[in-house]
Amino acid sequence: MKTNILPIRTQNNADWSDWRWQMQQRIHSVKELVKCFDLNHDEELNIQEACEVFPMSITPYYASLINKEDPRCPIRLQCMPNLQELVNGCGDMDDPLYEDADSPVPGLTHRYPDRVLLLITNECAMYCRHCTRKRKVGDQNRRVSEVDIDRGIEYIKSRPEIRDVLLSGGDPFVLSCAHLEKIIAKVRAIPHVQVIRIGTRTPVVLPQRITNELVKMLKKYHPIWINTHFNHPREFTPESTQALAKLADAGIPLGNQTVLLKGINDCSEVMKKLSHLLVQNRVRPYYLYQCDLSRGIEHFRTPIAKGIEIMEALIGHTSGFAVPTYVVDAPGGGGKIPVLPNYQLSMTGTKTILRNYEGVICVYEEPAYSGSTCSKACSLCKDGNVKHKPVGLQKLVDPNNRTISLIPEGNIRRARFFGLKGDPHGR
Ligand SMILES: *Cc1c(COP(=O)(O)O)cnc(C)c1O
Ligand code: SF4
């Protein structure tokens, strides 16, 4: 067993805590990998084959967290390529979330009414083997150009309804502070943008990146929210803990997005521990993602039932703010759909029957209620601030809306009566 061949972790030198050094020393090839890890010939060939399709990049820091005695080490599984990535699964798609299809300009996805996703780089410090944007990240031919970013920013400017801009990638924090600041400043200068969000995995894979210089810069553009991506309790170290503290001390609300991964965190106990570590570090568990249908990650997928089982073990059993929202990002651009265990057992006009996390069944007596008595006179309605028309199910729920059904496009029964134009009632 080769030990401690990893670049000089033991010496605790200044280089180790320098993020640029960590970036330069990343492991990109099997040749570099075998210097640090005992791999047999087959493993070498397999990794080689996989990283010819999906790039490998492991920071010395993240590599140092790998338990070399454990072939199923959760850190190892997240960063070391595996031949299974080349197996095409049943639903594997290049762009399952239709991020490109919902893209008015390259690199910007406008899916929800009031917020957009803007990809500002396609590079990451480490390439996660389970990445949903696997076909995009690390590809030299798909680099994000400054022109594209500026077009994205122009689009945001032209749409006053956009109040929340999510900067992601790739990993925005691989950019230099100066480069990043230029982009953030442009977005902040748009009057209708209320909140800027950044998605980054650097606190996990390159905590050295969270420098005083970086947080000082970010603070100037508040409100800035950051979501990071911890998947396993073993990713908490003195370094990552310090990185989170710096961000939190800068007044940045922190959230975490975890991906549910077979063999890594598909366990209620692991998830509970992860949630507790997050909140101890002032990070609110935000989303737990069901693994997407992207190409190359089939071997990480669990059934949705596993996620429900985990939610069952969290809700009520631990602090409400330690429980993430479990979501399935719908293939085809439907967006994030929350899924929960069933807590509502039955309902009559006067009673709702619920069960709690312990299985206790109770009755909630409904009040006499004939709808809201609102006269739509408060400033939100009166000043014309509420601009949106009801969409989708809202039309059915709205007491003033006469829509009686929602009918999927191309419904054959409708087409028989109304021809291809569909329903004349405009639904
Ligand atoms: C996830 C996501 C967002 C942000 O969604 P929230 O639920 O507000 O966190 C925005 N745009 C796209 C395309 C997304 O995938
Ligand atoms: S950091 Fe995010 S974008 Fe980059 S490889 Fe990991 S999951 Fe993908």
Side-chain angles (χ1 to χ4, degrees), residues 48-107:
Q48 179 64 39
E49 210 176 313
C51 62
E52 275 164 20
V53 181
F54 299 111
M56 166 170 67
S57 172
I58 314 174
T59 56
Y61 164 80
Y62 199 70
S64 77
L65 306 184
I66 294 175
N67 174 0
K68 296 184 183 184
E69 320 282 321
D70 178 9
R72 307 292 310 160
C73 167
I75 305 290
R76 180 190 189 115
L77 295 180
Q78 289 184 69
C79 64
M80 242 188 241
N82 186 307
L83 206 52
Q84 289 181 83
E85 294 172 31
L86 306 184
V87 176
N88 275 343
C90 57
D92 286 5
M93 295 184 262
D94 275 339
D95 182 23
L97 307 179
Y98 276 37
E99 285 184 340
D100 294 344
D102 279 347
S103 196
V105 300

Side-chain angles (χ1 to χ4, degrees), residues 215-274:
V215 296
K216 203 170 138 202
M217 183 277 281
L218 293 172
K219 266 171 89 164
K220 293 195 276 176
Y221 300 95
H222 268 316
I224 300 250
W225 291 54
I226 287 182
N227 264 334
T228 182
H229 176 175
F230 283 81
N231 284 332
H232 195 276
R234 286 213 29 227
E235 291 168 338
F236 284 87
T237 64
E239 287 99 329
S240 61
T241 301
Q242 195 195 18
L244 294 173
K246 274 192 187 176
L247 294 169
D249 286 346
I252 300 171
L254 300 173
N256 185 69
Q257 320 202 116
T258 294
V259 186
L260 177 53
L261 298 167
K262 183 164 88 185
I264 294 175
N265 58 19
D266 51 346
C267 161
S268 323
E269 292 309 318
V270 168
M271 284 296 191
K272 196 187 278 181
K273 174 93 185 164
L274 176 63

Side-chain angles (χ1 to χ4, degrees), residues 97 99 109-112 115-117 133 164 166 197 227 257 286-287 289 329 336:
L97 307 179
E99 285 184 340
T109 305
H110 192 178
R111 167 159 309 146
Y112 300 102
R115 55 209 187 278
V116 294
L117 172 68
R133 301 206 185 102
D164 172 6
L166 171 46
R197 280 199 262 181
N227 264 334
Q257 320 202 116
Y286 182 53
Y287 282 138
Y289 281 98
D329 215 336
K336 300 173 185 76

